[in-house]
Amino acid sequence: MKRRVEIGILYSRSGNYRLVSDACRKGALSAIAEVNADPEGTVEFTPVEFDPQGNADRYATGCAEILQNSGARHIVGCVTSWSRKEAIPVLERGGGTLWYACPYEGFETSDHVVYMHACPNQQILPLFGYVVPRFGANGFLLGSNYIWGWETNRVARDLIADAGGEVRGERYLPLGETDVARLIEEIRATRPDFILNNLIGSSSYAFLKAYARLAEQDDRFQPQRCPVVSCNLTECELEAIGEAGRGHLSVGPYFHEADAAGAATYRPQSSFEAAAHASVRVLAAILQDNPGAVWKDLPAAFAQRRFDTPFGSTVLDAQTQHATLPVVIGEIEGGSFRVLSRQKEVAPDPYLSRYDRAELFGKPRLRVVP
Amino acid sequence: MSRRARIPNLGGATAYVLHRPHPTVQTLVRQLSAIGLQAVDCWPELPPAALSADFVFFDADLGFDEQFPWQPGEAPMPLIALIGSEAPGRIEWALFAHRANSHLLKPVGAAGVYSSLLIARQNFEERRGLAARIESLQARVAERHVIVRAVAALARDSDYERGFAQLRSLAMSWQVTVETAAQRVVTMAQEEEESDGRHHA
């Protein structure tokens, strides 16, 4: 006889980052179905859903509602960092845990959040380590106007300085803005070596399409000379971008590879789906051992064990509650990514306290110190 | 090349937490470790090794002067006060006597630790920079009378403008400050006077 456990699902079914949200939700629900169908398992999840409709202010409300009106103490959800930061105080008051399945900008360790997707040393650092020696160190930084863009670009500015390059421009668009003509003109004028794209949802699709038109006019902006690189672009958005995405780069803990060796039965379509799926699987494994586990039991539950997830055999750091993850860099080719480089297990370093400039970019060039 | 101020990397830094055993200490030590610091808790006093720490957190509620291996206000690293009661006397002690560079309110949670480290370090370095500048300015102010004497010694026919210009060019050719050059000029003038005195004797 299985024990029924309620689990919160907090993903938007509409709004301009709906594709990402849907991918996460699909991963969570497929894992719930798997757990419920497992004859060996003792846990049966009942999802308690709340749809914030893409409105950042509705996530805290949704969190509070789930914690008040159900027995759920674990919620899989949130896409933007903005919504995650809004949810944390509610989780602290209600004794809840958020299982967060998206890459984020780091510099946070809440004991009410489990970070299942990549933090900066698992995305932007290795991405720059790959891009700078091949394309150059002069970057143009783009972002949607909220914390993910601001903070990721702040790290990027430091990295570009350390690599001896120059920030050719840094521009932000409001969430959902699709008028990118001015950005394109600035990029044409400043001729960077690469573009770091922290735009999200419809802004990002509009930009990539406009950039492809720029490349048609000027070969200098073909992806093999000046690629658009992202830390959060996955398969779930490729259809919305279409042919314009070809040749550009992204980094993530997972890309869907149809013919990968040792493929499990379930192969998520994107890292968002994989991370949400992993969240539910890890939670199920913990509840199997300790049926009443809540946020304060998690560090002990993470210590010295591995969990089966779509990322492989996964370790979670008990101190920071961030996952050790593979780091894969891929190039868009058709509707998927061609893998260019892969690191197997990169331990999380959310505060970049182990960052070493020489390790990432080699010895610095000599320069005059004033 | 001008260098933009940037958020320092705290990896590998050490922090001492001077507080009686308490859940707040556990939370703080855990958070410091998560940020990448080596955290050591201690009570009732700071061990000698704390002198080489990068940060010291101290309890503003139950703390007292004898816990610290330095005079109040002379800590060689940034200090962060852990404030619980907000009693004005305790804040006065932490802020005016020990000159805390930043603070954290108890009970300590996951939030606030990182910014308290950055604020404390920035405040400490700014204060140390200012103190060094003031010290050097004071030293130069103290040398005013030497400059006056040097200019007087160099000035011929009471042309003090020329005397001062000469002093500055001497300082430049010796590659020393105007104050040091003045000191040398005065010493040389004195020696000259003394030897003149001996000749006339």
Side-chain angles (χ1 to χ4, degrees), chain A residues 107 109-111 154 157-158 161-162 299 318-321 350-355 357 367 370, chain B residues 1-7 9-12 27 29-31 33-37 110-111 114:
Chain A
F107 297 86
T109 48
S110 168
D111 33 20
R154 182 190 67 79
R157 287 197 301 269
D158 287 350
D162 287 352
Q319 212 149 45
T320 60
Q321 306 200 150
Y351 289 86
L352 294 180
S353 60
R354 297 191 296 268
Y355 166 63
R357 159 167 88 180
R367 66 173 175 206
Chain B
M1 187 198 280
S2 72
R3 295 196 66 188
R4 190 172 54 82
R6 66 192 252 183
I7 293 292
N9 182 348
L10 299 176
T27 314
V29 167
R30 175 175 187 246
Q31 198 62 20
S33 311
I35 295 170
L37 286 88
Y114 184 63

Side-chain angles (χ1 to χ4, degrees), chain A residues 169-204:
Chain A
E170 181 172 345
R171 288 288 176 262
Y172 295 92
L173 293 183
L175 277 173
E177 175 64 65
T178 53
D179 181 0
V180 297
R182 194 190 159 87
L183 295 183
I184 294 292
E185 282 318 305
E186 289 182 346
I187 288 167
R188 188 205 296 271
T190 56
R191 309 184 87 73
D193 297 324
F194 66 91
I195 294 139
L196 176 66
N197 173 25
N198 292 302
L199 295 166
I200 69 162
S202 36
S203 308
S204 173

Side-chain angles (χ1 to χ4, degrees), chain B residues 58 60 65 72 81 83 86-100:
Chain B
F58 69 100
D65 290 348
I83 296 176
E86 294 197 291
R90 297 314 300 170
I91 297 176
E92 183 182 50
W93 175 76
L95 191 62
F96 297 162
H98 284 273
R99 309 190 66 205

Side-chain angles (χ1 to χ4, degrees), chain A residues 63-271:
Chain A
C63 237
E65 248 178 53
I66 292 170
L67 292 173
Q68 267 162 28
N69 302 340
S70 78
R73 285 296 162 271
H74 298 273
I75 298 171
V76 190
C78 291
V79 168
T80 64
S81 289
W82 182 0
S83 65
R84 186 190 66 255
K85 298 225 182 240
E86 299 255 327
I88 288 173
V90 179
L91 295 159
E92 284 172 352
R93 281 197 295 277
T97 294
L98 176 71
W99 296 73
Y100 184 63
C102 298
Y104 90 110
E105 64 284 348
F107 297 86
E108 184 185 291
T109 48
S110 168
D111 33 20
H112 290 269
V113 180
V114 179
Y115 304 83
M116 197 53 86
H117 208 294
C119 65
N121 77 303
Q122 296 162 323
Q123 17 116 334
I124 188 166
L125 257 62
L127 180 65
F128 272 49
Y130 182 89
V131 166
V132 165
R134 289 170 176 82
F135 299 95
N138 302 318
F140 197 104
L141 313 179
L142 297 181
S144 290
N145 204 12
Y146 76 106
I147 191 156
W148 157 258
W150 302 332
E151 282 300 309
T152 307
N153 284 340
R154 182 190 67 79
V155 173
R157 287 197 301 269
D158 287 350
L159 294 179
I160 286 174
D162 287 352
E166 187 181 72
V167 176
R168 292 283 164 90
E170 181 172 345
R171 288 288 176 262
Y172 295 92
L173 293 183
L175 277 173
E177 175 64 65
T178 53
D179 181 0
V180 297
R182 194 190 159 87
L183 295 183
I184 294 292
E185 282 318 305
E186 289 182 346
I187 288 167
R188 188 205 296 271
T190 56
R191 309 184 87 73
D193 297 324
F194 66 91
I195 294 139
L196 176 66
N197 173 25
N198 292 302
L199 295 166
I200 69 162
S202 36
S203 308
S204 173
Y205 317 148
F207 170 74
L208 281 158
K209 285 175 184 166
Y211 187 73
R213 287 193 294 276
L214 172 65
E216 280 168 20
Q217 295 160 18
D218 185 344
D219 271 352
R220 170 70 175 65
F221 298 102
Q222 289 290 340
Q224 58 272 21
R225 286 193 60 193
C226 180
V228 177
V229 306
S230 312
C231 301
N232 58 354
L233 185 64
T234 75
E235 295 87 344
C236 71
E237 297 180 286
L238 291 185
E239 207 180 312
I241 296 161
E243 211 22 50
R246 177 176 291 278
H248 296 298
L249 310 181
S250 187
V251 61
Y254 171 97
F255 288 112
H256 179 82
E257 290 161 85
D259 56 351
T265 43
Y266 169 69
R267 300 201 49 73
Q269 294 301 311
S270 70
S271 63

Side-chain angles (χ1 to χ4, degrees), chain B residues 1-155:
Chain B
M1 187 198 280
S2 72
R3 295 196 66 188
R4 190 172 54 82
R6 66 192 252 183
I7 293 292
N9 182 348
L10 299 176
T14 51
Y16 277 72
V17 179
L18 179 61
H19 194 289
R20 70 187 197 287
H22 190 272
T24 265
V25 177
Q26 285 165 22
T27 314
L28 180 56
V29 167
R30 175 175 187 246
Q31 198 62 20
L32 288 169
S33 311
I35 295 170
L37 286 88
Q38 282 168 352
V40 184
D41 61 320
C42 51
W43 185 263
E45 59 185 33
L46 284 167
L51 276 169
S52 64
D54 298 293
F55 297 94
V56 168
F57 290 77
F58 69 100
D59 184 18
D61 296 336
L62 296 175
F64 49 94
D65 290 348
E66 289 70 26
Q67 292 181 299
F68 302 91
W70 50 74
Q71 291 301 308
E74 292 176 9
M77 76 289 286
L79 294 184
I80 298 143
L82 299 167
I83 296 176
S85 76
E86 294 197 291
R90 297 314 300 170
I91 297 176
E92 183 182 50
W93 175 76
L95 191 62
F96 297 162
H98 284 273
R99 309 190 66 205
N101 300 93
S102 69
H103 77 282
L104 264 180
L105 287 180
K106 292 192 277 183
V108 175
V113 177
Y114 184 63
S115 51
S116 79
L117 290 166
L118 296 182
I119 292 169
R121 176 180 280 193
Q122 165 71 6
N123 178 286
F124 178 80
E125 276 169 9
E126 213 167 278
R127 209 186 268 171
R128 189 164 59 177
L130 279 175
R133 252 186 93 192
I134 289 171
E135 199 178 328
S136 95
L137 288 173
Q138 271 173 340
R140 294 177 66 177
V141 168
E143 296 299 316
R144 271 179 312 190
H145 70 285
V146 182
I147 293 179
V148 172
R149 285 175 61 193
V151 170
L154 291 169

